[in-house]
Amino acid sequence: MSQLLDPIHRRHIESLGISREARVLEVGCGNGSMSAWMAEHIAPDGQIVALDLDLSLVDNVRAPGVEFRRGDFVTGPVDPGRFDFVTARAVLHHVADAKVATGDLVASLRPGGAILLIEPDFLPVSVAEPIEMRTFWSGWLAWSRERGIDYHIGPTLAPRLACYGLKEIEATAETEIYNSGSQWADYWRDTITELRGDLIQSGKLNDALIAEFLAHCANPRWWTQTIAFTAVHARATGS
Ligand SMILES: C[S@@+](CC[C@H](N)C(=O)[O-])C[C@H]1O[C@@H](n2cnc3c(N)ncnc32)[C@H](O)[C@@H]1O
């Protein structure tokens, strides 16, 4: 995931012009790759807090300048009003109440601080070809809804930040068009293979559809797009 998304995330952070001394918060840091990169390249004289419910992926990570914290950002804002920059990627679509969670992230900003959220939007699967692939994705989305995952959260982020009174809101969505042999095809092959038993047991997908999807993933003539990512950034009022 981080190999696929770090380049997008870095590009957006670089365009925001974060100061070298910034106090930065990343929630749902996963393997810590973005916080480690920010400590090295964006805010080398600042302070980076990287928070996650599960820090097992950073056990052996050496990241000078990063304070890894175990915690749940949904139970309330982390250090309210403290951070110059707050970011979360591929996290809000997993939480039960994304509206409240977004409010908690905003509350961690100091006046004038910037926020960057990157979350999925599965709209492109509605035009996937052939029709069996649309059926496959429809089953995948039904499965994820049942597990409380919101794969259509991307377009809701900008209006939500506006509701919290943020300014300078800008949002873009991007997706990759790929075929077999690409990192995205590998990602989906591995993910669907790992979840195959659960997907079938849920009744939302059957073995034949999964086999057909995996065959398409291995076909160099099948070009497709699946997930898009919405990146939204905004700034708190004040200075
Ligand atoms: C899909 S992973 C994304 C990891 C990383 N941001 C990335 O894009 O590669 C979601 C991460 O968010 C963390 N997470 C989910 N809910 C959380 C919460 N309420 N508080 C803190 N971390 C949370 C999970 O433990 C996991 O590491």
Side-chain angles (χ1 to χ4, degrees):
M1 201 72 193
S2 63
Q3 278 175 24
L4 288 162
L5 298 181
D6 280 8
I8 298 174
H9 204 164
R10 285 185 207 146
R11 180 160 40 81
H12 284 287
I13 291 174
E14 280 170 337
S15 75
L16 287 172
I18 309 296
S19 89
R20 286 179 65 88
E21 304 84 29
R23 284 168 295 187
V24 173
L25 170 66
E26 184 191 10
V27 302
C29 65
N31 68 8
S33 60
M34 284 309 302
S35 279
W37 177 81
M38 287 190 282
E40 200 175 339
H41 299 277
I42 295 294
D45 305 324
Q47 296 162 22
I48 317 267
V49 175
L51 183 102
D52 205 294
L53 285 173
D54 172 8
L55 291 181
S56 57
L57 292 180
V58 296
D59 275 349
N60 298 314
V61 169
R62 232 189 64 76
V66 179
E67 179 199 343
F68 287 109
R69 252 191 232 178
R70 190 183 313 282
D72 182 349
F73 76 100
V74 172
T75 54
V78 181
D79 302 352
R82 171 167 185 236
F83 293 99
D84 300 289
F85 178 52
V86 171
T87 189
R89 180 182 87 205
V91 180
L92 288 170
H93 68 294
H94 282 293
V95 307
D97 191 337
K99 187 174 169 198
V100 170
T102 308
D104 285 344
L105 294 180
V106 169
S108 291
L109 287 173
R110 69 154 179 80
I115 186 167
L116 168 65
L117 306 174
I118 301 180
E119 292 292 333
D121 176 7
F122 255 76
L123 182 68
V125 305
S126 60
V127 292
E129 293 285 354
I131 189 169
E132 291 78 8
M133 293 303 96
R134 294 202 289 283
T135 311
F136 171 85
W137 288 118
S138 161
W140 163 265
L141 289 171
W143 172 86
S144 45
R145 266 194 304 277
E146 211 170 69
R147 275 148 189 76
I149 303 170
D150 179 2
Y151 276 124
H152 291 292
I153 192 172
T156 69
L157 299 174
R160 198 161 280 160
L161 290 181
C163 286
Y164 286 110
L166 298 196
K167 58 178 186 175
E168 298 173 28
I169 301 173
E170 285 181 28
T172 53
E174 63 185 86
T175 184
E176 196 166 314
I177 297 169
Y178 62 87
N179 68 346
S180 68
S182 68
Q183 284 188 322
W184 272 112
D186 293 350
Y187 171 81
W188 282 116
R189 181 200 60 222
D190 293 349
T191 301
I192 299 302
T193 302
E194 189 181 324
L195 294 172
R196 189 174 195 149
D198 193 35
L199 289 164
I200 292 169
Q201 207 174 10
S202 73
K204 305 296 183 201
L205 281 168
N206 61 42
D207 204 43
L209 260 178
I210 292 178
E212 188 156 355
F213 174 77
L214 293 174
H216 275 83
C217 281
N219 178 359
R221 290 187 305 279
W222 186 61
W223 288 85
T224 193
Q225 63 198 89
T226 54
I227 205 164
F229 278 89
T230 304
V232 183
H233 55 85
R235 203 168 278 286
T237 52
S239 55

